[in-house]
Amino acid sequence: MLHSALINVMLKAARRAGRSLKRDLGEIENLQVSLKGPANFVSLADKRAEQMLLEDLTKARPGYGFVGEEGGLREGQDKSHTWIVDPLDGTTNFLHGIPQFAISIGLQREGTMIAGVIYNPANDELYLAERGKGAFLNDQRLRVAGRRKLADSVVACGLPHIGRGDFKLSLAELGEIQPKVAGLRRFGAAALDMAFVAAGRLDGFWERNLQAWDMAAGQIIVREAGGIVSGIEGDDDPLKTGDVICGNEFIHAELVKILKPLGK
Ligand code: 2AM
Ligand code: CA
């Protein structure tokens, strides 16, 4: 499949960092049994991947700004373009050898996402989208699922864990959603949850307290697959609020109706 020069830059960067993460995943499987555990190793893997992405993306597009999970904002001379990058989304999965993690690269122009790539090197699934040109999984055009009722839908969420999140609110959300859906899932990598919504595998996804780099690429991939992405209010910007709800127009609206009143 022919891609634009921009998408080719993003694909190349994602694949190089992906090879590095995949090698590191193999190493982690050995380290699992060591006493110290692989946590320090993972943090190195993460930093190494971010460094590669920073190098490749800034070499190809000098001057663009770069926001990464590890290094924060590095401003460039071109104030209108910013890469928003998570070198390893799903860190806890990676640390445990669970092959549900990804590199996420988004490009923002004047505050609007114009391109996104999400790549899981463990299974070689690569999702991409460019504004106005559709969303793809390994060259196959994506479209969000068509289900209109929550009762037929499989929905994913994020869950609080030790040291992070609002447990009471999360239990209230689950209490409302669980009895209404065909299935609830928790995969642990927000970028891939959004990619799964774009691919029609999941009918919807919501999570609170995320960062822009968890959602930047996912936002344009879901939108280009015909889905809706917002914050908990239903019409707000998830990259600004850190909360996200996505799905087709029907499931997105159903989720907003249930979740919006709960956080008040
Ligand atoms: P990460 O794996 O890159 O940390 C899991 O619920 C999702 O939340 C993952 O996409 C995870 O990204 C993201 N997340 C955002 N902020 C987090 C934090 N402070 N701790 C753990 N996960 C976080
Ligand atoms: Ca992340």
Side-chain angles (χ1 to χ4, degrees), residues 166 168-177 180 206 208 232 255-264:
D166 181 335
K168 208 168 145 213
L169 174 56
S170 176
L171 286 174
E173 289 182 339
L174 298 181
E176 289 292 325
I177 303 274
K180 299 186 177 73
W206 90 95
R208 296 187 192 251
I232 296 287
L255 291 174
V256 170
K257 198 164 75 189
I258 297 168
L259 297 168
K260 185 174 165 176
L262 291 178
K264 311 274 174 201

Side-chain angles (χ1 to χ4, degrees), residues 69 86 88-89 213-214:
E69 168 151 27
D86 192 341
L88 174 53
D89 185 50
W213 46 76
D214 300 317

Side-chain angles (χ1 to χ4, degrees), residues 14-72:
R15 289 199 185 280
R16 178 160 88 103
R19 280 193 296 277
S20 168
L21 285 183
K22 195 168 178 188
R23 265 195 307 273
D24 290 338
L25 180 72
E27 198 56 36
I28 279 175
E29 283 156 1
N30 302 329
L31 288 169
Q32 290 291 9
V33 291
S34 85
L35 262 186
K36 199 167 165 206
N40 294 335
F41 182 81
V42 168
S43 132
L44 278 176
D46 212 339
K47 290 199 173 72
R48 207 161 30 227
E50 180 157 322
Q51 188 54 36
M52 287 182 187
L53 294 165
L54 175 68
E55 273 169 30
D56 288 358
L57 296 172
T58 48
K59 191 167 170 205
R61 291 290 183 276
Y64 284 18
F66 185 103
V67 184
E69 168 151 27
E70 295 301 313

Side-chain angles (χ1 to χ4, degrees), residues 69 86 88-91 161 164 186 188-190 207 209-210 214:
E69 168 151 27
D86 192 341
L88 174 53
D89 185 50
T91 317
H161 46 82
R164 173 168 180 254
R186 200 299 191 210
E207 182 161 1
N209 295 314
L210 293 172
D214 300 317

Side-chain angles (χ1 to χ4, degrees), residues 69-107:
E69 168 151 27
E70 295 301 313
L73 171 68
R74 298 151 179 105
E75 282 200 52
Q77 301 203 310
D78 176 341
K79 302 293 177 211
S80 54
H81 291 90
T82 308
W83 298 110
I84 305 180
V85 171
D86 192 341
L88 174 53
D89 185 50
T91 317
T92 308
N93 285 341
F94 185 82
L95 175 65
H96 286 254
I98 298 170
Q100 181 76 359
F101 59 87
I103 288 160
S104 173
I105 305 173
L107 179 63

